[in-house]
Amino acid sequence: MRYGLKLINSLLVVALIILSKPILASDIDNRLHIHVNYQQASDSWQVRYQLPIAMDHIAFYRRSNFDRSKLYNIDESKFTWQKEGEVLLIKSIDGSKFDSLTLDFSSSYDFIQKDYTPNLKYTDGSVLLYTDHLTLGASIIEDKALSPDGVSFNGTQFHFYSPNQNIVFLGQHFTGKAKWNAESGGTYVYFGNIKPLENDNMIAIVDPALPSWVWQKTVQNFPKLFDYYASKTGQDLNFKPVVFFNYDQLAGDYASYSGGTLDGLVQLTINGKHWQKDDEGQFNKLFHFLAHEAAHFWNGQMFAFEEQHHSWLHEGGADAFANFAMLEFGLIDQAQMMQKFEEASNQCILGKGAESLAQSVKLWRYRNYYTCGATMALASHFAVKANNSKQTLFDVWQHIFAANLENRRYTQQDYFDALNKLAGSPTLANSLAKFSDVEGLNNQQEISSWFQDTELSVEVSTDYPSFIIRHWGSQVVSNLMRSYCNNSVSFSTYDDYIETYPIDNCDGDVFNQTMKIQFVEGKDILADGLSAYNLFKTKCQQGGSVTLQDKEKVDVAQLKCLDKVQNPKPYMKLQAQL
């Protein structure tokens, strides 16, 4: 009995010593913990937030382009939604502070303009979740005794749960549950039963309904991209990327694709029943997209670009990488590759306007960074090759990466420095810098000058290819929308018609509604786009109005021309032997 009492006393002493030990600030977990439970049977989510400091409100970090108060369900007996300015808050009804909150929602697959879709689905019922819609913004805490860091939390840790299912994200896969310290932006996380396909280059989650010919061609060519880009740039990837490849809208009478990249992943969706038929041309469009996105692992993730207004560097560079990769893998020949660059150069001429290329981001003409950037990359390729026949565009990028290994960031000037060195002359770099940053240039003359004294010849022609004819037809709608809607444009171009989308604060009420337009004064706006545009131009020169019609040639709008209409530009042909 005495032994028992001594043991109890000893334990009490040890407990008192432990309790009296000071708690260091470094021992306190000041992170926000977000527990995400996926419930596959109902395709729904329960999300529980644990805050290290009790607060009287929370606000989401990302201003997502959907109404959270309509999608997310909260306990309305305790909490309420409240908007302060542009910020949507969740507050306790009685004003008291809280350190935990639970919300739930069903998966949302609706397309969100200029934002990430909250969920993407696979045909077997598995799903992707975009995490950044769930993250919170930390509130400032002035009481240092309460928060030494001065904020309500410091860092975010996600906890994912999906019993007996695979959870895949950022080069790793787990079963049932996983943790992730979210140090930067959001990512897509996979929840489901598809077995990951993994090799030395990547992890892939592939939809089981994906047509076998599509996946066979992808497996045959996509993994080679990583070895090809690593060899050409002199840089191996320092992470294993994930490919999420799903098939949606299987009954649609078309074939389309969409997707993009986030840190460490490529997300790709194909849509429509036409993918069931083996189509080499359609696959090449798909593979070019994949190759473009894979290039961003090098020029956008391992190495980051500094200035958004100089995005021609990484977007045009990625397009050029993809074109050269497709040539290397035998998916296209030299003539087809040059045709891709030729189309890009003409689209650059048409899309850029009198503004500098750097102004494209402010004018919402982001496509210019792809088309003009690819043309600038091609000019760089021929310039360095003219100085040394063994050099290519990839040598320019290899030099940029090697020069910036320490901070892993690069600028437009880094590109020009590399180009100067490898071309043996500053001529092209100076011309590209002017094109990027100076207004009022003749775009066609500038681009033509880039290829002087190289193997490439430039000719102009009025023998317009179909994509240029379609462009001039779409310019009828673009010109009118810009005139009436304060330089704003919002429409989509389909196979045989154009669909406009409502824009607020336009003059009159024509562009405050959706319209489907197929004809201009009886001329097909896309199939006969050049004639439609010239008719429009003539009407405008005469101070008249133009009538827009639907597929039945029923009038949908009659509008007077407000602005001067330019003459169609001649087409620029590129010919070269690579």
Side-chain angles (χ1 to χ4, degrees), residues 80 105 211 228 234 327 350 539 572:
T80 184
F105 58 94
Y228 178 69
L327 177 66
L350 296 172
K539 288 268 188 177
M572 189 171 71

Side-chain angles (χ1 to χ4, degrees), residues 425-439:
S425 166
T427 302
L428 179 61
N430 291 342
S431 294
L432 298 185
K434 181 172 69 171
F435 192 79
S436 176
D437 297 325
V438 176
E439 300 178 24

Side-chain angles (χ1 to χ4, degrees), residues 4 106 175 189 210 246 269 276 385 396-397 438 465 481 493 520:
S106 297
T175 301
V189 180
L210 193 75
N246 68 310
T269 300
Q276 299 295 333
K385 188 180 179 186
V396 177
W397 284 98
V438 176
M481 291 192 90
T493 302
V520 178

